[in-house]
Structure formats: structure tokens, C-alpha cells
Amino acid sequence: MQNVSVRGPEVPRNIEALDPVFTVSDLSVFYGAYEAVRGVDLTIGNREITAMIGPSGCGKSTVLRCFNRMNDLIPGARPAGKIFFHDEDLYGDHVDPIEVRRRIGMVFQKPNPFPKSIYDNIAYGPKVNGMKGKMDSIVEEALIKAALWDEVKDKLKQNALSLSGGQQQRLCIARAIAVKPEVILMDEPCSALDPIATTKIEDLMQELARDYTIVIVTHNMQQAARVSDRTAFFTAEVDDAGERHGRLVEFDETSRIFTNPSDKRTEDYITGRFG
Amino acid sequence: MSVLSTPRSAVRLASKGTPLREHVFRIALLSSLVIALGFLLMLLIYVLEEGWPRIDATLWENMPSIRRPETAGIQSGIIGTLWIIGLTALMALPTGVLAAIYLEEYADRTKWYNRVIELNISNLAAVPSIVYGILGLGIIARWLDFGFTVMTGAITISLLVLPIVIISAREAIRAVPPSIREGSLALGATQWQTIYRQVLPSAVPGIATGSILALSRAIGEAAPFLMLGAATLVRFNPEGVWSSFTVLPLQIYSFISQSREEFHILASAAIVVLLAILLLMNSVAIWLRNRYQKRW
Ligand SMILES: Nc1ncnc2c1ncn2[C@@H]1O[C@H](COP(=O)(O)OP(=O)(O)O)[C@@H](O)[C@H]1O
Ligand SMILES: [Mg+2]
């Protein structure tokens, strides 16, 4: 069994009462005729960090990208089942995916700052959303929240691509924060970063979880164990027709998943006997 | 102890000398280059040498003349060429860029009509320029009754360069990484905001480079203008888009078809001017490309 360090006492939050932000029921996602994910039931708690782990290709990103309707952009991608954001059907007819993405931010695997200045990277989101208020203070606040302000305050006009990978990723987090979202989705945000930069992002996530709901996809089990409150373990199953489908195996409090999983497959995965 | 310091591996890593095949290949490559550049250089030296006595102020100051080739100039040709290129840029660039945006960002490639459009644009780029001349003559000059005017010429040349502009703009747009679009859309930007504020600014250097190269190809065209029946000897500059005109390649063509030696010298001088304009445009394109080369 792994040596698990559950979140320290510096961020005391009661993870017993689950106050749902997303309620996913019987979600399947298709790419054309291919059913990539099948029958997922999941609840994402308010101001919690939920981790999604599992071997690659089991549909973690696919599920994550349903939460802010990024899958709409892939021709042929189609969800079936229900996702509620609070009490609104995320895929309801009246829902504007643009507005969804403003309220549910996303950070990608590879840092993707715009080829513009640091300042303009942050200001872009508030500008396109027509946000009111002094831009300078919006930018400063976002950078402070993303723990990047001290490092960049003297070079806001510098091109964002001149930052290090870890700084770029924190810039992307700051950029997401600047539009004042409620949720931040992160798809393997540290997989392109070195261990020190990874630690900084993990610390930052702990900090951000006071104000935001965070869903993180990670292939790094230690990371899930370190930062998350709840963990969803996915795997890919082959059906009778020989097709692989992503399935949610187990969803529980992180400490339970890592110390006392109820499913044999979860136990095999976290002890390294599988995947 | 490192593996490399053992004598055995030192022997294995030692150079065996460059094999003969490598040398032969390199010489073949080099000589191809020399042949290509050599011909270009010969051509340049030839026109420069012949045209040299006439490369002076009168070339620019005077209008062409049939009676006095020794003092005739090519002003109307230069100005005519600038009019055509300017107007073509105004018409073909926005159209081409918008078409490229549609094809890259909006068109659903699974639809048959989008595939037909794509295929045809590649085909159009390969159509000989004289065919565009016939089109311009039949539809624009005669049917629309625009006559042999700057407008007719510019529309015809626009149609000629449009496929090349579209293709190069598409390439520039495609070179913008999808992660930039995703980043923008994930912040709640609309598709048009994403295109206008992220994709296009990143693609502008590439679009500009491709457009300049397309236009510089058009500058050298004589065939479509011949077809349109643009007058070869025009002794005045165009006053507007409805004026008649001539262009440098046509002027050169008409000089060369004269029998007197002075006209041939004049033609060479005009070729030097045409080449200088082309060289200038291509340098601007290269400069733009290097100046704004993006690294992601
Ligand atoms: N755009 C797409 N088109 C078609 N199939 C896709 C697409 N994206 C992902 N898939 C497929 O869906 C499955 C799940 O992929 P993904 O969600 O990326 O897995 P993970 O993030 O867990 O590694 C994989 O089999 C993958 O091949
Ligand atoms: Mg993934």
C-alpha cells in the first residue's frame, strides 16, 4: 500500500457534507459512433478538489471536457445522460456554452499562454466577457491569487512565452481566475512540469480550493492523494464486441480510496499491480 | 569508470572517413544549385549590361514613345502597374483572407460542398493566367461593360491571385496551434472573438508573406492583359479606376517587338525596373517572415 499523505490541517474543510456543484448521472460520451465513456455517475462537491485518476485512454479528459462543454468543439463528440450544474441542465436547450465556459474555467495539460504580454494574457478573458472594473486591478488580483505576482510584477509587458513552464502554467491559472469562474477544471496541469513547479501548482490548488471548486485529472496517484478531497477512479473495459469503454470504477473520499478501496481494481491500480 | 574511456569502445567510435557516396551526393546537390543560380545571374548580368545606359531619370520622367526611343520612358507602365497591384490588394486580400477563415475555422469538412470548394481552389491555382484573361475579357470587359480599364485589369488579376492568397492564408491560419484557440474559448470567448483577437494576429505575418508573394507573381503577368486588349502604348497615367492603362510587362513586350536597337535597350532597362520592384516586394516578405516568426 502506498504511503499516503492526506491534505494537511492548514486547510480545514469538512468533506463529509457533499454540497454538489455538478451532478452527473448515467453519462456516456460518444465520438461519432464510438462510445468512449459509458454510464458515469459522479458528484462534484462545492469548494472541494476532486481528482480523476486512471490509466490513459480511460476517458478522464473526455468527462472533464463535458463539464465546460469543450467537447462541443470536437465534431462528432456527443454526450448522453445528464450533467447538472447546480440545478441547471448543462446541456439544456437554453444553455449558452460560451457562458458555461466563462463560469467554468479550464487549465490544460501543456501550458498554452497566448503569444502576448503577461498583462494581455490576463486581461483577455475579462475583455472578451465585457467585465467592468479597472483592468489593472483585475490583472493584479488574478496574478496574486495565482501566486505569480511577485515574480512578474516588474515585467507585465514582457511576452508570456518568455516565462518558465511552471510560471506559464500559473499564468494560465491566473488567466482562468481573472474571469471570476466558480469552477476550475485542470487536465493533467503538472504533467509537463518539473517537480518543483509541480509542488508550487499543488500548493496553489490547495489555496484556491478555499474559493473555487476544482476538478483535476492526473495520472499521478501521489498527486491525487496529496491534493484531493475525493477521488474518482476510471478504467477502460472491453465489452463483448471488443470495444473499449471508459468506466467509473469507484468514487469516494480520497483517504478511503487510497487506504481502503472497496473495488479490487482500484486496489490493484493504486498498489501498482495494474496500469 | 566510464565506458567511453575503455580502448575497445574508442576504436568503435573512431571516424571511418566520409564514404564516397556521400561526396558524390553532395556534389550533385551543389551543382544543381549552381546551375539554377548561374542562369539567373547570367540573365541579370545580361539585362543590366544592355539596359544600363538607359537606367536614368528620363526612364521614370518620360512617357513611352514610338518615335523617340532614346528619350522614351516607362512612367505610365510603372504607375499602371502600381494601380493594378494596389487595387488588386484591396480586393483580393480581404476576400482571400475571409475565404480562408471560413474554410479553416467554420467549414465542416464532412459536407460535400466544402470538399468541392477546397478541391476547386487548388485547381484554380493551377489554371494558366491567359485563361483568366479570357474570363476578364468575356465577363468583365464585355458583359459587365467595364471596358479596358484599370478596374477590369484589377478584377481579373484579383481572380488570378485569389486562389494563391486563400491557400497561403489557410496555411498561416492552420499554423496557429489549436491550443491557442482552446485557451481562448475556454475563457468564454466566442468563436469570432477567438479568430479576430487570437488566430488572426498570430497568422498575420504568414498571411502578409503569402499575399506579397502572390502579388509579386501578378506583377510579372503580361498574358491576361494582352488578352484583355490593354493598349501597349499608353502615353498617360491612369486617372482613376475607369481610366485605360498599361503595365510594365506589356510595355516591355511592345518595346521588344520593335525592330530598332534603342527599343531593346529600353526594354532591358524596363526589365531591370520590374525586377527591382519584385526584389523589393520579396525582401519585404522575407523581412516580415523573420521579424514576426512565432515560437510556441
Ligand atoms: N477527439 C476524439 N475523437 C475520437 N476519439 C477520441 C477523441 N478524444 C479522445 N478519444 C478517445 O476516447 C477515449 C478516452 O480518451 P481520453 O478522454 O483522452 O482519455 P484520458 O484522458 O483518460 O487519457 C480514448 O479511447 C480516445 O482514443
Ligand atoms: Mg487525458
Side-chain angles (χ1 to χ4, degrees):
Chain A
M1 192 108 298
Q2 306 270 333
N3 191 6
V4 178
S5 67
V6 183
R7 149 203 303 290
E10 72 276 9
V11 193
R13 278 180 290 121
N14 180 10
I15 59 167
E16 292 304 318
L18 206 156
D19 165 18
V21 172
F22 289 107
T23 313
V24 180
S25 57
D26 197 25
L27 175 73
S28 301
V29 187
F30 295 84
Y31 290 110
Y34 172 56
E35 189 176 8
V37 179
R38 176 177 281 178
V40 171
D41 295 294
L42 190 64
T43 314
I44 307 290
N46 188 22
R47 296 185 194 194
E48 285 188 6
I49 300 180
T50 306
M52 304 207 285
I53 62 169
S56 75
C58 65
K60 306 178 296 292
S61 300
T62 300
V63 171
L64 190 75
R65 292 165 63 92
C66 287
F67 288 137
N68 67 342
R69 295 193 57 167
M70 281 302 272
N71 277 343
D72 291 21
L73 305 169
I74 299 171
R78 182 172 55 85
K82 289 279 177 224
I83 303 179
F84 280 90
F85 178 51
H86 297 291
D87 50 5
E88 249 186 306
D89 181 355
L90 204 56
Y91 284 84
D93 291 335
H94 59 284
V95 172
D96 178 8
I98 307 292
E99 184 57 22
V100 169
R101 291 184 205 127
R102 199 195 67 68
R103 294 190 40 199
I104 302 163
M106 190 167 214
V107 176
F108 298 84
Q109 184 165 354
K110 193 167 162 278
N112 60 345
F114 304 129
K116 297 168 179 261
S117 72
I118 294 168
Y119 186 97
D120 289 342
N121 260 275
I122 310 287
Y124 178 72
K127 255 185 219 156
V128 295
N129 285 294
M131 274 168 62
K132 303 273 178 298
K134 245 187 106 267
M135 192 55 78
D136 287 358
S137 46
I138 293 176
V139 170
E140 181 175 343
E141 192 192 334
L143 285 168
I144 289 172
K145 275 194 172 165
L148 192 58
W149 176 251
D150 289 334
E151 289 158 67
V152 301
K153 62 170 181 255
D154 301 320
K155 47 178 182 183
L156 292 175
K157 293 280 161 245
Q158 204 169 306
N159 194 309
L161 295 169
S162 65
L163 296 174
S164 74
Q167 289 174 323
Q168 288 188 11
Q169 197 60 303
R170 275 179 286 146
L171 181 73
C172 291
I173 294 174
R175 188 172 77 180
I177 292 172
V179 296
K180 305 212 184 316
E182 202 182 317
V183 184
I184 304 174
L185 309 173
M186 301 186 176
D187 193 347
E188 303 195 16
C190 302
S191 64
L193 305 182
D194 62 67
I196 293 173
T198 299
T199 308
K200 280 191 184 157
I201 302 258
E202 286 179 5
D203 291 346
L204 175 59
M205 287 194 299
Q206 306 270 340
E207 202 55 49
L208 291 173
R210 293 171 194 269
D211 302 317
Y212 303 92
T213 300
I214 295 176
V215 186
I216 175 178
V217 167
T218 174
H219 60 230
N220 178 338
M221 282 179 288
Q222 280 75 18
Q223 181 168 65
R226 278 193 299 266
V227 302
S228 70
D229 301 298
R230 289 177 210 271
T231 297
F233 171 62
F234 288 78
T235 190
E237 277 176 6
V238 180
D239 68 8
D240 300 339
E243 271 205 339
R244 291 175 82 242
H245 308 286
R247 301 295 305 253
L248 174 66
V249 174
E250 191 170 353
F251 172 56
D252 211 329
E253 285 169 26
T254 298
S255 54
R256 183 104 38 89
I257 290 273
F258 281 91
T259 55
N260 189 20
S262 54
D263 197 295
K264 178 79 169 53
R265 289 166 293 176
T266 316
E267 188 177 331
D268 287 351
Y269 184 73
I270 60 171
T271 52
R273 255 177 273 154
F274 165 88
Chain B
M1 193 163 126
S2 103
V3 186
L4 278 181
S5 61
T6 69
R8 219 174 111 230
S9 83
V11 169
R12 244 192 284 149
L13 290 174
S15 161
K16 294 197 186 74
T18 319
L20 181 67
R21 242 182 314 148
E22 294 277 320
H23 284 300
V24 172
F25 191 55
R26 209 175 289 180
I27 288 166
L29 290 178
L30 201 66
S31 37
S32 316
L33 192 68
V34 168
I35 290 170
L37 285 181
F39 270 113
L40 187 66
L41 204 65
M42 263 163 60
L43 196 80
L44 272 178
I45 292 173
Y46 176 77
V47 288
L48 254 179
E49 208 177 17
E50 190 173 56
W52 191 250
R54 284 306 324 275
I55 298 178
D56 52 24
T58 56
L59 193 66
W60 159 250
E61 281 161 4
N62 295 348
M63 292 293 172
S65 154
I66 282 295
R67 270 166 292 138
R68 308 171 147 274
E70 56 298 336
T71 57
I74 51 169
Q75 195 188 69
S76 55
I78 296 176
I79 301 285
T81 290
L82 293 181
W83 266 95
I84 293 289
I85 291 307
L87 202 55
T88 299
L90 278 181
M91 294 190 290
L93 300 193
T95 321
V97 171
L98 288 176
I101 292 174
Y102 170 77
L103 287 171
E104 280 304 310
E105 305 281 336
Y106 289 96
D108 176 357
R109 240 152 256 172
T110 58
K111 295 280 189 301
W112 66 269
Y113 48 84
N114 286 320
R115 287 208 303 271
V116 169
I117 293 173
E118 286 207 33
L119 187 68
N120 274 304
I121 287 171
S122 321
N123 285 339
L124 282 176
V127 169
S129 57
I130 194 140
V131 176
Y132 284 95
I134 297 172
L135 185 83
L137 177 70
I139 295 181
I140 302 156
R142 296 228 175 108
W143 190 64
L144 289 178
D145 206 15
F146 280 10
F148 306 128
T149 56
V150 172
M151 191 52 127
T152 306
I155 293 175
T156 307
I157 296 301
S158 293
L159 294 175
L160 175 73
V161 298
L162 204 49
I164 311 171
V165 173
I166 293 175
I167 290 169
S168 61
R170 285 186 69 180
E171 258 154 37
I173 290 170
R174 210 176 309 144
V176 179
S179 64
I180 298 290
R181 295 178 180 78
E182 281 198 323
S184 171
L185 293 165
L187 288 168
T190 63
Q191 192 175 9
W192 176 243
Q193 282 171 329
T194 300
I195 292 167
Y196 189 74
R197 290 169 174 256
Q198 298 294 351
V199 178
L200 277 187
S202 298
V204 156
I207 292 174
T209 309
S211 304
I212 293 174
L213 294 180
L215 288 178
S216 69
R217 185 199 146 180
I219 281 189
E221 287 290 349
F225 293 107
L226 273 178
M227 209 59 222
L228 284 175
T232 47
L233 201 97
V234 175
R235 296 186 45 81
F236 54 87
N237 295 328
E239 275 151 13
V241 298
W242 302 114
S243 194
S244 66
F245 69 102
T246 188
V247 288
L248 270 179
L250 268 193
Q251 200 114 79
I252 292 165
Y253 174 76
S254 81
F255 289 150
I256 284 178
S257 43
Q258 304 287 331
S259 55
R260 284 169 67 186
E261 177 61 19
E262 289 94 329
F263 277 112
H264 298 168
I265 297 172
L266 186 57
S268 291
I271 290 172
V272 171
V273 171
L274 187 63
L275 285 177
I277 296 177
L278 281 176
L279 219 62
L280 186 74
M281 288 181 71
N282 289 359
S283 326
V284 170
I286 291 170
W287 178 80
L288 267 175
R289 198 182 57 203
N290 294 341
R291 172 79 174 67
Y292 291 100
Q293 209 154 42
K294 284 264 152 45
R295 57 176 191 84
W296 272 289

